[in-house]
Amino acid sequence: MLNQEQPEIPKPLDQLTPEEITRKACIGKLMTHTLKNLTDTYINKGFQWLLPVVLSQSTDPLWPDPHLSIEKRIEFEIYGKPVRTTTSMIMHKLAATSTVYPKLFILSPNIRIEKAERAKTGRHIYEFTQLDFEMVNASSKDVFTLVEEALITLIKNLKQDLKPELTTLGRLNDLKVPNTPFKIYDRTDLETKYGVDNWEADLINDLKEPAWITNIPRQFYDFEDFKTGRWDNYDLLLPQFGEVLSGSKRENDYQKIIKKIERDQVKKENYMRIIEMAKDGRLKPTAGAGIGIERLVGWIAGVKHIAECQPFPRAPGNVNEL
Ligand code: AMP
Ligand code: MG
């Protein structure tokens, strides 16, 4: 993505030097406080905390997402039925918000066997965690406001409570509390300005503050206005770093969902629960997003590779004993 030099692959715990142990411990404290702070924010705003699942018949197709680079999909049988490891809990979120849990979040482990060459981006790992949230009857604007508030509270608190750790990591002064509201860019304008292939890398270099990008063609569950062709979805980009969140207002219209699944050539039989809920009018309008936790903490800590934020690093192409 945008690291000029290739980052070193983070080492297993038992191979760290004393200096590296100090650094890892500081990142670990940032992680603990980040998780506490964000989960507190969501709970205080009335969200329910759901525990994750790792095996399901239905998981995120990840297709067609412009960032997709999957080497292998993990699928096997249990009790005579096919299951897949969780790529994201989007389908579970849609079913759960529409029924029992109108505002929810999950710290959801995602397994995506990224191509080994992605180790060099410093932004990809093959097991990561999303703070995945969803709310009923919400708009993109509601998500923007919620996320902006959550990030500002987080950064303020970290700068106050973890001064020694941020100082050790050389981040106390560089890590600024962002101004709100964050700027919103339309992907089509960025393509005009920077070019279709380069806009993301170039924009990240130019950004001084986090910014929203909207209108990105991708999976069937993101809302698309069939009349204008505009997608009501968004990514959050962090300056000098890249994407930390993706989300959208969701598609809940049966006809549109079917049309998009067919257009994308996604296997309909893997999404029957959601399709049937939509058909019966039981799929509610929701909006949400997933925040990549290792990326968020990695940006805060100023790491070269986000696997530094993992006790047990999962850099693409690297399998450790632990
Ligand atoms: P997605 O819906 O695919 O955009 O995933 C949601 C968020 O998870 C992204 O915005 C990233 O912050 C994070 N994420 C996605 N893929 C990876 C990966 N391979 N490694 C680390 N974080 C990731
Ligand atoms: Mg994304």
Side-chain angles (χ1 to χ4, degrees), residues 10-116:
K11 291 187 266 182
L13 293 177
D14 57 301
Q15 291 172 24
L16 299 176
T17 64
E19 296 74 43
E20 288 167 342
I21 287 179
T22 303
R23 191 180 150 79
K24 190 101 182 171
C26 289
I27 299 172
K29 284 193 188 155
L30 284 179
M31 176 64 82
T32 298
H33 281 245
T34 298
L35 291 172
K36 162 115 179 72
N37 198 277
L38 289 179
T39 52
D40 279 353
T41 297
Y42 279 83
I43 292 168
N44 290 341
K45 289 183 182 292
F47 284 75
Q48 294 186 66
W49 189 345
L50 271 58
L51 293 176
V53 292
V54 286
L55 297 178
S56 307
Q57 282 190 269
S58 182
T59 197
D60 192 333
L62 301 176
W63 168 262
D65 185 311
H67 292 115
L68 177 70
S69 160
I70 293 293
E71 173 158 316
K72 179 176 186 167
R73 291 180 186 266
I74 303 175
E75 186 177 321
F76 49 90
E77 266 194 16
I78 54 171
Y79 311 118
K81 291 208 167 161
V83 287
R84 293 162 187 90
T85 50
T86 299
T87 49
S88 95
M89 283 185 64
I90 178 65
M91 300 304 152
H92 306 77
K93 290 199 303 177
L94 297 181
T97 36
S98 292
T99 53
V100 180
Y101 312 95
K103 285 171 86 173
L104 65 85
F105 73 95
I106 313 161
L107 285 170
S108 162
N110 288 193
I111 299 175
R112 301 186 189 174
I113 312 303
E114 302 278 359
K115 294 210 168 103

Side-chain angles (χ1 to χ4, degrees), residues 112 114 123-125 128 130 243-246 292 295 306:
R112 301 186 189 174
E114 302 278 359
R123 303 292 179 257
H124 294 89
I125 43 187
F128 63 94
Q130 288 196 47
E243 178 198 322
V244 70
L245 166 155
S246 287
R295 284 196 188 171
I306 61 165

Side-chain angles (χ1 to χ4, degrees), residues 49-273:
W49 189 345
L50 271 58
L51 293 176
V53 292
V54 286
L55 297 178
S56 307
Q57 282 190 269
S58 182
T59 197
D60 192 333
L62 301 176
W63 168 262
D65 185 311
H67 292 115
L68 177 70
S69 160
I70 293 293
E71 173 158 316
K72 179 176 186 167
R73 291 180 186 266
I74 303 175
E75 186 177 321
F76 49 90
E77 266 194 16
I78 54 171
Y79 311 118
K81 291 208 167 161
V83 287
R84 293 162 187 90
T85 50
T86 299
T87 49
S88 95
M89 283 185 64
I90 178 65
M91 300 304 152
H92 306 77
K93 290 199 303 177
L94 297 181
T97 36
S98 292
T99 53
V100 180
Y101 312 95
K103 285 171 86 173
L104 65 85
F105 73 95
I106 313 161
L107 285 170
S108 162
N110 288 193
I111 299 175
R112 301 186 189 174
I113 312 303
E114 302 278 359
K115 294 210 168 103
E117 69 212 27
R118 281 206 157 172
K120 66 175 184 284
T121 67
R123 303 292 179 257
H124 294 89
I125 43 187
Y126 61 86
E127 282 185 61
F128 63 94
T129 301
Q130 288 196 47
L131 194 162
D132 214 354
F133 64 93
E134 197 73 20
M135 38 189 178
V136 97
N137 294 327
S139 65
S140 299
K141 184 84 191 29
D142 297 327
V143 173
F144 292 178
T145 309
L146 171 72
V147 170
E148 289 176 13
E149 268 183 47
L151 287 184
I152 279 167
T153 308
L154 171 67
I155 294 171
K156 271 190 190 152
N157 286 344
L158 290 177
K159 281 176 76 82
Q160 196 178 303
D161 299 340
L162 290 188
K163 271 203 180 92
E165 288 77 10
L166 287 169
T167 306
T168 302
L169 295 165
R171 290 290 288 159
L172 189 63
N173 295 327
D174 289 352
L175 184 68
K176 303 264 187 300
V177 179
N179 294 306
T180 54
F182 299 170
K183 271 200 183 144
I184 305 171
Y185 296 93
D186 189 294
R187 186 244 338 150
T188 55
D189 296 334
L190 294 169
E191 287 182 350
T192 309
K193 179 165 178 201
Y194 295 106
V196 174
D197 296 327
N198 291 339
W199 64 265
E200 191 160 343
D202 288 351
L203 177 68
I204 293 160
N205 283 332
D206 287 353
L207 285 180
K208 301 276 179 288
E209 300 257 334
W212 298 104
I213 317 301
T214 62
N215 188 17
I216 309 155
R218 56 188 178 207
Q219 290 97 315
F220 71 85
Y221 51 76
D222 281 14
F223 187 90
E224 181 185 359
D225 184 330
F226 275 7
K227 289 201 191 85
T228 61
R230 206 179 173 284
W231 292 72
D232 190 353
N233 60 8
Y234 34 86
D235 279 357
L236 181 65
L237 300 192
L238 299 175
Q240 317 306 313
F241 187 88
E243 178 198 322
V244 70
L245 166 155
S246 287
S248 74
K249 176 179 143 85
R250 309 301 180 186
E251 203 73 82
N252 71 331
D253 179 281
Y254 170 69
Q255 298 294 349
K256 287 176 76 187
I257 290 176
I258 292 289
K259 203 165 182 168
K260 291 166 86 182
I261 284 182
E262 286 172 357
R263 182 177 75 187
D264 297 348
Q265 297 184 305
V266 164
K267 283 187 187 159
K268 208 185 282 176
E269 64 268 25
N270 292 346
Y271 301 99
M272 288 318 290
R273 292 268 65 75

